[in-house]
Amino acid sequence: QLRSPAEDPPWLARELERELAPLKGRRFGAAALAAYEAKLDAEASGNRPCRIRIRNGGEVLLCDLKKSCPYDPEFDATPETNDCSYILALKQALEIVGKLRPLPDVDLMVSPINQDRFDVDVPIFTRHRPREPRSNYVLLPMEWQLHSWQMRKHTIAVERVGAE
């Protein structure tokens, strides 16, 4: 919830409670997120969650995107799709919301990938949450709902057909 829960619409509390239920009210502080990042540094290769830090009501600080969305020409035939665009779209949306209503200081682990299916130690915010194992994944809006250009990419083809 935002800084003023009394001003939030009634449905928001129910939706958050439903989506956050697997976390069972547990708190995950900076130490837990740092430990998870260290585990990723030691084990993970390829795309991995990005730690986004929100500070001062709406300043959004990103992880090193080259670590979260690395490009390896040996394994990635389409490097243009490995651009962390979801993380960038979420950053823009958070900055806009932060201008409208101050956000609390919080760190979020956000997945840049389309298929999250591993058990994780901390909450991972994602656009595609697995049904099982549900683990600690928390669903966020799809990319096209967060960034105006993403929606525009989908409508360009329709406009071209309509112009013919």
Side-chain angles (χ1 to χ4, degrees):
Q1 291 178 323
L2 300 178
R3 285 191 173 172
S4 18
E7 297 175 26
D8 292 337
W11 59 265
L12 183 58
R14 290 189 305 272
E15 186 68 19
L16 286 172
E17 184 178 317
R18 182 184 62 80
E19 189 56 37
L20 299 175
L23 304 179
K24 300 177 178 123
R26 293 173 290 163
R27 300 274 184 190
F28 298 85
L33 296 180
Y36 185 70
E37 282 182 306
K39 181 179 173 181
L40 289 176
D41 286 341
E43 296 176 359
S45 63
N47 288 4
R48 56 183 268 182
C50 170
R51 187 171 179 178
I52 295 179
R53 294 168 168 91
I54 303 171
R55 300 292 184 266
N56 306 317
E59 179 184 2
V60 181
L61 308 169
L62 294 179
C63 63
D64 179 356
L65 294 180
K66 289 180 182 172
K67 273 177 115 176
S68 283
C69 301
Y71 165 62
D72 185 342
E74 185 176 333
F75 298 105
D76 194 350
T78 56
E80 66 278 0
T81 64
N82 198 23
D83 61 359
C84 273
S85 62
Y86 184 72
I87 291 171
L88 296 172
L90 180 61
K91 176 185 187 285
Q92 182 182 46
L94 289 169
E95 288 173 337
I96 292 169
V97 172
K99 296 275 188 222
L100 299 173
R101 289 179 67 183
L103 296 170
D105 286 359
V106 67
D107 290 10
L108 306 170
M109 295 297 288
V110 178
S111 174
I113 62 177
N114 289 325
Q115 295 182 14
D116 293 296
R117 57 181 171 251
F118 303 104
D119 196 29
V120 291
D121 303 332
V122 299
I124 305 291
F125 293 83
T126 181
R127 61 188 143 181
H128 296 286
R129 171 178 43 78
R131 289 185 183 175
E132 295 299 328
R134 172 74 190 268
S135 190
N136 289 318
Y137 291 103
V138 179
L139 196 59
L140 286 178
M142 297 295 288
E143 187 170 352
W144 62 268
Q145 295 170 306
L146 298 172
H147 193 289
S148 56
W149 174 245
Q150 295 300 327
M151 185 58 174
R152 178 93 175 109
K153 287 193 311 188
H154 296 290
T155 61
I156 288 174
V158 174
E159 289 174 7
R160 287 184 183 147
V161 169
E164 293 177 354

